[in-house]
Amino acid sequence: MDVNAAVAAAAAIAGVLTGVIAMLAFRVSEREQKRPTRTSLHTDPVLPPGVDTVLSVLRSSAVVLDEADAVVKASSAAYALGLVRGGKLSIEPMLKMARDTRRDGEIRQVELDLPRRGTGRGEALAVSARVAPLGSRLVLLLVEDLTEARRIEAVRRDFVANVSHELKTPVGALSLLSEAVMGASDDPEAVERFAGRMQIEATRLTNLVQELIDLSRVQNDDPLEDAEPVRVDELVAEAVDRCRHQAGTKQITMAAGGTAELRVWGNRGQLAAALGNLVENAVNYSPARTRVGIAARQVSAPGGDHIEIAVTDQGIGISDKDKERIFERFYRVDPARSRQTGGTGLGLAIVKHVAASHGGEVTVWSSEGQGSTFTLRLPEAGMSRARAAQHPDLDDEDGQPHTAPSPYGPYESHPAPEVLP
């Protein structure tokens, strides 16, 4: 009887201990569940009311950091720029700015050059970063991409420098020649010689100013506002007439061929200037007693039919390294020849902008010693203005051209041309 009582007492004590242990374990588990973890501190929505909405409409890349430097909120643009990786701000200078601002509450701003993601060429990404406190715990980082603005500013700066240089040359020559004329007033032959040189420099200066005006016009005007169907054969005839004197001086044969009765859609004046520049270049860079051919044809394209006008010469050709830059402003393959012909280096830049603004493009095929073919590709007149406007613009100010071979190939593969009267 005593043994049974002892066993019962032991069982009762064990049951009480088990209940106590279970109760303590439950209390501890409940307390652990209520305790905030490191992860919950970083992921809980702690943004002040309305801030999320404001950040979503900002053009700048936005990143919000908490007191542990963890990212609470980041815009998609911040990820695209590579500012946030693995839930952390990856740019050390910006992280230091955020810590300093969190410590003293001062707003900071700095411009940085960051490596561009996904390229192995070390290209810099120019950004402006601004850090400000957001409440008592958070820090707001706004990053503005300045790369495009910097590029445009560099293009404008180079353009002004190039224009100044190009204007200085003929103006300086005119000044020196006028002094020479004054000093040789008693020598009629010298006066006549110097006056002839002055006329050449004055013509060069006039051409440069006119091409600057033309380039400014094609960049700023919308040619499709006054667009109309333009006959290609009329454009070709006008371009040939424009260069007939230079071609006759060098005994160069001007020939035209291809499909007749074609029409393109655009501004007649700008199209005539673009084609005229191509033909003039072909004549200027061709040896004497050669041929310059102009051919037009209609080609089918997914967005609608296009007209291709190819201008082919038998000149010196263009090297591969020069083909990458020939559409840049003021770039000339042979500066010495340009001085002889009066070239300004703006003709092909004007052609590129005219083609782009008309929803087309200009391509070049060339081989050194065999000549070149420039092909102007434009919307056919049957295309609507809206469809033409949807074509991508080539406007990069860096002047990168297309270098695909012309569908016509060298001059000998053109349709049989007939010499214009």
Side-chain angles (χ1 to χ4, degrees), residues 52-269:
D52 195 4
T53 303
V54 173
L55 295 182
S56 65
V57 299
L58 289 178
R59 297 182 61 184
S60 304
S61 302
V63 180
V64 179
L65 304 176
D66 64 11
E67 65 271 19
D69 292 334
V71 175
V72 176
K73 175 73 176 179
S75 64
S76 58
Y79 287 98
L81 289 178
L83 304 180
V84 179
R85 298 178 186 174
K88 293 287 186 179
L89 184 63
S90 61
I91 309 301
E92 187 60 33
M94 296 182 187
L95 190 58
K96 183 179 183 303
M97 289 173 58
R99 291 168 179 169
D100 294 340
T101 296
R102 186 184 300 112
R103 184 181 64 254
D104 55 26
E106 293 186 4
I107 298 176
R108 290 174 168 82
Q109 184 169 355
V110 67
E111 292 188 3
L112 300 171
D113 290 332
L114 308 178
R116 194 183 287 268
R117 296 183 64 186
T119 61
R121 299 179 298 224
E123 297 178 353
L125 189 70
V127 299
S128 174
R130 185 179 179 87
V131 180
L134 185 63
S136 58
R137 297 173 50 198
L138 306 180
V139 174
L140 173 63
L141 170 67
L142 296 177
V143 179
E144 189 77 22
D145 188 356
L146 304 178
T147 307
E148 184 66 14
R150 291 265 189 93
R151 187 185 69 84
I152 293 175
E153 181 60 30
V155 169
R156 289 175 178 173
R157 185 167 55 250
D158 292 343
F159 182 72
V160 171
N162 288 332
V163 168
S164 301
H165 175 75
E166 295 294 334
L167 289 174
K168 182 178 179 181
T169 301
V171 169
L174 287 172
S175 177
L176 292 175
L177 288 169
S178 63
E179 293 179 3
V181 169
M182 293 178 62
S185 56
D186 56 347
D187 186 350
E189 292 184 0
V191 169
E192 184 178 357
R193 184 172 66 255
F194 291 142
R197 288 295 306 168
M198 290 178 69
Q199 287 183 336
I200 294 175
E201 296 298 334
T203 300
R204 178 178 300 176
L205 181 60
T206 301
N207 292 339
L208 175 59
V209 172
Q210 184 59 50
E211 290 200 341
L212 286 172
I213 294 173
D214 293 341
L215 180 60
S216 176
R217 181 178 297 120
V218 300
Q219 286 180 322
N220 296 328
D221 294 347
D222 181 7
L224 299 183
E225 288 184 356
D226 302 319
E228 61 179 340
V230 181
R231 290 173 57 95
V232 173
D233 53 0
E234 293 179 358
L235 295 177
V236 172
E238 187 173 338
V240 170
D241 288 339
R242 168 177 168 177
C243 303
R244 190 181 299 277
H245 176 72
Q246 298 99 306
T249 302
K250 299 173 66 175
Q251 299 181 9
I252 292 176
T253 301
M254 305 282 287
T259 307
E261 300 297 327
L262 297 178
R263 288 176 172 82
V264 294
W265 181 265
N267 182 288
R268 179 184 178 85

Side-chain angles (χ1 to χ4, degrees), residues 7 27 30 56 74 76 111 133 145 161 185 211 228 277 301 305 336 367 379-380 417 420:
V7 171
R27 293 285 182 86
E30 192 177 43
S56 65
S76 58
E111 292 188 3
D145 188 356
S185 56
E211 290 200 341
E228 61 179 340
N277 285 343
D305 291 343
S367 179
E380 194 264 337
L420 296 176

Side-chain angles (χ1 to χ4, degrees), residues 354-397:
V354 169
S357 62
H358 282 74
E361 63 179 351
V362 58
T363 60
V364 57
W365 174 93
S366 185
S367 179
E368 290 186 87
Q370 298 185 27
S372 305
T373 297
F374 287 85
T375 303
L376 188 60
R377 193 169 188 261
L378 299 166
E380 194 264 337
M383 293 181 63
S384 67
R385 178 177 183 270
R387 183 183 297 174
Q390 291 175 357
H391 283 252
D393 198 332
L394 299 180
D395 138 55
D396 62 340
E397 299 291 344

